[in-house]
């Protein structure tokens, strides 16, 4: 089911279903239940065995499969949640088509990829496959990726193709990240009592400066050929209770972007060392980490996808990496060779979002050919 009209109709239907991540925007209208249910029903109507698998209350993955046991197993993955719609300059859930583009929230990030996966599964259901192809339409990528983690915990697979937008590039690597929190403690006092007050904000100031200098002088010189340099920035700083009061506490949140050849523990230890050189009493703790990802260019899934891209588009894809994090790392950490190939567009998390329709159609066709090459067919 990779004909143009069918893919366009499916993408239109997906955009019309609000699926804002409920952690980002808690409200009765948020969540992925409606779109997961639609996806399951659509897949079943197109001869794909499918079911909902609850990850958190009211937040299910839609999981499908075609093919048979006993051969190679491949997962096609896309996330079904989106970010919020506030500030958008277009109607978020009323898709419009103009100049070969479809506009709407999630069109680019990443319902174009969802449509490609679903359309490919419907086409693969018509083929006599020697192995199995899973469809993983997962929740919560825009927050903590609990959907992807739930899927890999329950469905072992040999490899994965993710369909985050890639502008037609074959993505073999991406960065990871470490989130950290720093707390400095002072002593509250009236603003006139310099003799009693001790500002926690003043203690945090040299830490911010030192972290910024470490980023510029050290991290930017560490590079990976596919994803570029390591980096770090101070993202949130909070402190004080009023202009006439010495601040009793100041809190800083830091994000460190890691390279495929770095570990989270070492990256965090470096952050702690820089901070404690400024203030040995500062409290530093890790909030969240996500691993980077890299896949060998000669991995079977990379070869299958590379050949499929050339067959469908008539040209070789650029092979590269990206600086942002994706669910791909979760599949990779679960032992699956993972690549990303997705549509072209713009406006992720922005006021105007669109995807190039032909790129969604091409992506679906690439997935069909890549999956058939990977698992085999009679």
């Amino acid at each position: 089911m990779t004909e143009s009209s069918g893919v366009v109709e499916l993408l239109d239907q997906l955009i019309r279903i609000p699926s804002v991540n409920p952690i980002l925007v808690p409200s009765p209208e948020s969540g992925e239940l409606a779109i997961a249910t639609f996806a399951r029903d659509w897949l079943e109507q197109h001869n794909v065995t499918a079911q909902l698998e609850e990850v958190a209350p009211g937040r299910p993955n839609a999981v499908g499969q075609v093919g048979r046991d006993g051969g190679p197993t491949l997962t096609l993955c896309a996330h079904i949640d989106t970010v919020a719609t506030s500030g958008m300059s277009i109607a978020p859930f009323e898709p419009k088509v103009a100049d070969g583009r479809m506009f709407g929230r999630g069109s680019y990030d990443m319902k174009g990829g969802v449509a490609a996966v679903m359309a490919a599964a419907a086409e693969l259901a018509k083929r006599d496959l020697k192995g199995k192809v899973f469809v993983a339409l997962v929740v919560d990528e825009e927050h903590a990726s609990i959907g992807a983690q739930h899927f890999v915990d329950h469905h072992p697979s040999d490899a994965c193709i993710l369909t985050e937008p890639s502008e037609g590039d074959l993505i073999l690597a991406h960065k990871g990240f470490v989130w950290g929190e720093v707390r400095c403690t002072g002593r509250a006092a009236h603003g006139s009592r310099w003799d009693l007050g001790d500002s926690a904000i003043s203690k945090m100031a040299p830490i911010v400066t030192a972290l910024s200098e470490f980023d510029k002088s050290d991290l930017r010189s560490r590079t990976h050929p596919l994803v570029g340099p390591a980096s770090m920035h101070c993202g949130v700083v909070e402190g004080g209770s009023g202009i006439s009061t010495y601040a009793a506490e100041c809190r800083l949140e830091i994000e460190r972007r890691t390279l495929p050849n770095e570990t989270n523990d070492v990256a965090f230890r470096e952050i702690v060392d820089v901070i404690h050189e400024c203030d040995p009493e500062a409290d530093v703790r890790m909030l969240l980490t996500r691993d980077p990802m890299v896949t060998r260019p000669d991995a079977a899934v990379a070869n299958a996808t590379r050949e499929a891209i050339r067959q469908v588009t008539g040209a070789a894809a650029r092979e590269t990496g990206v600086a942002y994090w994706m669910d791909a790392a979760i599949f990779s950490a679960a032992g699956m060779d993972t690549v990303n190939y997705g549509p072209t567009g713009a406006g992720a998390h922005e006021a105007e979002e669109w995807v190039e329709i032909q790129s969604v159609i091409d992506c679906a066709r690439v997935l069909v050919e890549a999956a058939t090459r990977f698992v085999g067919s009679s």
Side-chain angles (χ1 to χ4, degrees), residues 64-78:
Q65 59 181 320
V66 296
R68 63 174 72 130
D69 294 329
T73 304
L74 175 69
T75 295
L76 306 179
C77 178

Side-chain angles (χ1 to χ4, degrees), residues 61 63 75 134-136 138 147-155 331:
N61 290 340
V63 176
T75 295
F134 279 115
V135 173
V138 299
Q149 189 62 58
H150 186 276
F151 180 87
V152 301
D153 288 344
H154 293 84
H155 302 285
F331 289 87

Side-chain angles (χ1 to χ4, degrees), residues 267-284:
F268 182 69
R269 174 46 54 189
E270 289 180 334
I271 293 171
V272 172
D273 289 345
V274 171
I275 292 167
H276 282 169
E277 284 185 10
C278 299
D279 183 357
E281 296 182 356
D283 179 61
V284 190

Side-chain angles (χ1 to χ4, degrees), residues 4 18 35 51 112 116 124 136 149 166 202 210 220 240 254 264 294 325 327 351 354:
S4 300
I35 195 169
Q51 66 275 342
L124 289 165
Q149 189 62 58
S166 75
S202 296
R220 300 298 176 86
I254 307 158
N264 296 328
V294 64
W325 188 87
D327 277 344
W354 58 269

Side-chain angles (χ1 to χ4, degrees), residues 228-292:
S231 65
M232 178 171 59
H233 72 279
C234 299
V236 175
V237 62
E238 297 176 337
S241 58
I243 195 169
S244 290
T245 304
Y246 279 82
E249 184 177 83
C250 187
R251 187 179 70 88
L252 173 69
E253 291 182 359
I254 307 158
E255 180 180 75
R256 162 78 150 87
R257 293 285 169 162
T258 56
L259 306 181
N261 54 3
E262 295 184 303
T263 68
N264 296 328
D265 287 343
V266 170
F268 182 69
R269 174 46 54 189
E270 289 180 334
I271 293 171
V272 172
D273 289 345
V274 171
I275 292 167
H276 282 169
E277 284 185 10
C278 299
D279 183 357
E281 296 182 356
D283 179 61
V284 190
R285 67 187 185 97
M286 188 182 292
L287 297 177
L288 179 69
T289 66
R290 286 288 182 257
D291 292 330

Side-chain angles (χ1 to χ4, degrees), residues 85-108:
T85 62
S86 59
M88 291 194 72
S89 60
I90 60 173
F93 308 123
E94 298 175 15
K96 304 295 184 184
V97 174
D99 300 322
R101 300 171 175 178
M102 187 174 291
F103 293 77
R105 175 55 84 218
S107 55
Y108 180 58

Side-chain angles (χ1 to χ4, degrees), residues 73-75 157-162 171-172 293-303 305 328-340 374:
T73 304
L74 175 69
T75 295
S157 186
D158 297 315
C160 175
I161 303 174
L162 208 71
I171 306 301
L172 300 174
M293 188 279 291
V294 64
T295 295
R296 305 183 326 275
D298 63 347
V301 69
N303 289 336
T305 308
I330 290 179
F331 289 87
S332 179
M336 307 178 202
D337 287 331
T338 303
V339 299
N340 185 88
F374 187 86

